[in-house]
């Protein structure tokens, strides 16, 4: 997870009265199509071109005119995430496609990638008349099963990690730490869609909000990572946090089956996983104490590739050039990662502090080469 995680909104709607939201203003139609909402983000505003759209495929055309990196989300009223796009740099534009049903939503811009963001209420009306390709329904069902399997397989590994922590066995806990995170990293966008679980289990130290206490409010894997590798000791507080980690991940396991999953959320989630790699793993910030970043890196890529492969039959039919490029870039990135592990099936990766700057640059370039075409996958599956 990057420093902070927040739900954002995209939507459209039967313009009911616009709820006043500081810094959000409504603009006239952009003329970019009935299903397109233009979002102009600055350091203190989140302007949208319309607050009402029809149900079905909706596209956010986002431009960051501010000086800070921003994020844009489409959110349900309870802050669950419909879709998101992170790390939108100053002066850049991105387009995000999502599927939305009739109802109330919010579009949120998050300058600086912290806080609740600047939000605009929107309404989605009517019902989509388009019939979804049955192959996409099959892809969603298969991905839902995959996500549940990853959660089910994670809990026993976390329990092994937690037992070692509670036993005070430092070496056993270190050995169990990275394997306990693989299933989570493969399917993190699903967990993040709930809004409340990710900050409990995967928050980094610099992700705490203003006013939060480091010892009281920081929980989860990375808090225990710091105790194991930096503090080099396990306290009674660590043992309490270990028990809490199991409870929080059991909550995740129980909720995976209720997640809102669509073909576009799968495609956007694949892109989010590559963003996770670019902003946390390649930089070495994610596992700053254990240096197990390449384990997370590989799991993120595997999760993204699983979504892609499930959506590929439809995407290939709609945009063969795109799938050809994605096949090429996934293969290139996987080949590059294989250089850093003991064999092609193990998760025994080189400690990331042993990876030099030139090699990190090579990994970063390969991630970026894949992320660019992957950002177009959602649009390809709803053509």
């Amino acid at each position: 997870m990057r420093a902070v995680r927040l739900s954002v909104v995209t939507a459209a709607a039967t313009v009911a009265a616009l709820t006043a939201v500081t810094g959000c203003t409504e603009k006239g139609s952009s003329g970019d199509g009935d299903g397109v909402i233009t979002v102009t983000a600055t350091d203190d505003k989140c302007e949208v071109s319309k607050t009402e759209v029809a149900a079905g495929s909706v596209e956010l055309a986002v431009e960051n005119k501010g000086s800070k990196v921003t994020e844009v989300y489409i959110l349900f009223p309870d802050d669950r995430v419909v879709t998101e796009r992170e790390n939108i740099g100053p002066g850049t534009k991105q387009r995000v496609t999502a599927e939305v049903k009739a109802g109330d939503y919010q579009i949120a811009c998050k300058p600086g990638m912290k806080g609740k963001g600047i939000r605009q209420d929107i309404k989605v009306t009517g019902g989509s008349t388009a019939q979804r390709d049955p192959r996409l329904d099959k892809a969603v069902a298969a991905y839902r099963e995959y996500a549940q399997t990853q959660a089910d397989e994670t809990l026993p590994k976390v329990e092994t990690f937690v037992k070692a922590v509670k036993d005070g066995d430092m070496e056993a806990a270190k050995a169990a730490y990275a394997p306990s995170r693989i299933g989570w990293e493969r399917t993190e966008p699903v967990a993040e869609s709930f809004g409340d679980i990710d900050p409990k289990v995967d928050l980094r130290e610099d992700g705490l909000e203003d006013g939060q206490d480091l010892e009281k409010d920081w929980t989860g894997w990375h808090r225990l990572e710091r105790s194991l590798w930096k503090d080099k000791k396990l306290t009674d507080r660590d043992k309490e946090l270990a028990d809490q980690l199991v409870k929080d991940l059991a909550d995740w396991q129980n909720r995976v089956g209720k997640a809102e999953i669509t073909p576009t959320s799968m495609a956007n989630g694949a892109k989010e996983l590559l963003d996770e790699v670019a902003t946390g793993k390649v930089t070495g910030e994610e596992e700053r104490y254990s240096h197990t970043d390449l384990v997370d890196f590989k799991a993120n890529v595997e999760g993204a590739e699983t979504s892609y492969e499930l959506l590929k039959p439809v995407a290939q039919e709609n945009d063969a050039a795109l799938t050809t490029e994605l096949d090429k870039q996934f293969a290139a990135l996987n080949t590059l990662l294989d250089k850093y592990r003991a064999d092609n099936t193990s998760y025994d990766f080189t400690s990331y502090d042993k990876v030099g700057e030139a090699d990190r640059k090579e990994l970063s370039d390969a991630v970026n080469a894949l992320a660019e075409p992957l950002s177009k996958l959602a649009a390809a599956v709803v053509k």
Side-chain angles (χ1 to χ4, degrees), residues 65-361:
K65 292 187 175 182
S67 64
K68 302 175 182 177
V69 175
T70 196
E71 301 171 347
V72 173
Y73 296 74
I74 297 175
L75 302 173
F76 289 103
D78 61 1
D79 268 10
R80 286 177 299 124
V81 180
V82 177
T83 196
E84 63 182 293
R85 184 56 52 85
E86 301 168 356
N87 303 298
I88 304 171
T92 65
K93 300 178 181 181
Q94 295 208 25
R95 299 180 83 92
V96 189
T97 301
E99 296 167 78
V100 288
K101 299 177 182 178
D104 296 322
Y105 299 85
Q106 288 182 318
I107 291 176
C109 304
K110 190 178 175 187
M113 303 193 300
K114 280 198 175 186
K116 289 291 184 181
I118 306 163
R119 300 188 176 200
Q120 171 66 66
D121 292 346
I122 62 171
K123 212 174 252 305
V124 177
T125 60
S128 176
T129 58
Q131 294 296 311
R132 191 156 77 186
D133 190 317
R135 292 174 296 176
L136 294 178
D137 290 329
K138 183 178 179 181
V140 168
Y143 185 76
R144 188 180 297 281
E145 182 177 350
Y146 172 74
Q148 186 66 63
T149 297
Q150 294 307 307
D152 292 345
E153 292 179 351
T154 292
L155 262 292
K157 294 176 182 178
V158 170
E159 288 167 353
T160 298
F161 170 62
V162 163
K163 182 179 185 303
V165 170
K166 294 179 70 174
D167 288 346
D169 189 335
M170 299 277 292
E171 293 310 309
K174 287 180 177 181
Y177 172 76
S180 76
R181 292 176 47 76
I182 292 170
W184 171 272
E185 291 291 338
R186 286 172 175 160
T187 59
E188 191 168 359
V190 175
E192 289 176 353
S193 72
F194 300 122
D196 60 338
I197 296 177
D198 184 82
K200 294 178 182 178
V201 305
D202 200 30
L203 192 68
R204 301 201 308 256
E205 184 172 355
D206 52 351
L208 291 168
E209 299 286 351
D210 293 341
Q212 286 189 304
D213 181 81
L214 186 67
E215 296 306 317
K216 179 182 175 183
D217 299 316
W218 187 23
T219 60
W221 268 302
H222 294 303
R223 174 64 179 81
L224 294 168
E225 178 203 6
R226 190 186 73 168
S227 294
L228 288 165
W229 276 275
K230 183 182 180 184
D231 300 339
K232 301 185 188 320
K233 63 180 179 180
L234 293 169
T235 66
D236 288 343
R237 174 59 174 160
D238 292 318
K239 294 173 184 179
E240 292 173 1
L241 291 171
D243 281 334
Q244 188 61 48
L245 180 63
V246 172
K247 291 177 183 177
D248 290 335
L249 289 171
D251 182 27
W252 161 58
Q253 179 190 30
N254 290 332
R255 290 162 68 179
V256 165
K258 304 180 183 115
E260 293 279 346
I261 298 174
T262 66
T264 54
S265 75
M266 290 169 59
N268 290 328
K271 174 61 165 62
E272 289 165 33
L273 286 170
L274 264 290
D275 289 342
E276 288 279 340
V277 173
T279 60
K281 282 69 175 184
V282 168
T283 62
E285 296 173 67
E286 179 82 2
E287 306 290 357
R288 62 191 64 178
Y289 306 118
S290 65
H291 305 301
T292 56
D293 303 87
L294 289 174
V295 175
D296 293 358
F297 190 142
K298 180 61 176 178
N300 285 159
V301 173
E302 287 175 337
E305 192 165 14
T306 295
S307 291
Y308 165 59
E309 289 294 341
L310 290 171
L311 296 169
K312 183 177 174 179
V314 173
Q316 188 169 40
E317 192 172 288
N318 292 338
D319 192 339
L322 177 64
T323 57
T324 297
E325 182 66 13
L326 285 169
D327 287 343
K328 173 185 171 183
Q329 298 302 339
F330 267 116
L333 183 54
N334 281 316
T335 297
L336 186 56
L337 278 171
D338 285 344
K339 290 170 50 178
Y340 298 97
R341 59 178 178 170
D343 59 68
N344 291 352
T345 59
S346 79
Y347 269 80
D348 182 12
F349 280 90
T350 301
S351 180
Y352 202 57
D353 58 335
K354 306 299 183 187
V355 179
E357 288 303 316
D359 290 330
R360 292 189 183 199
K361 174 65 163 55

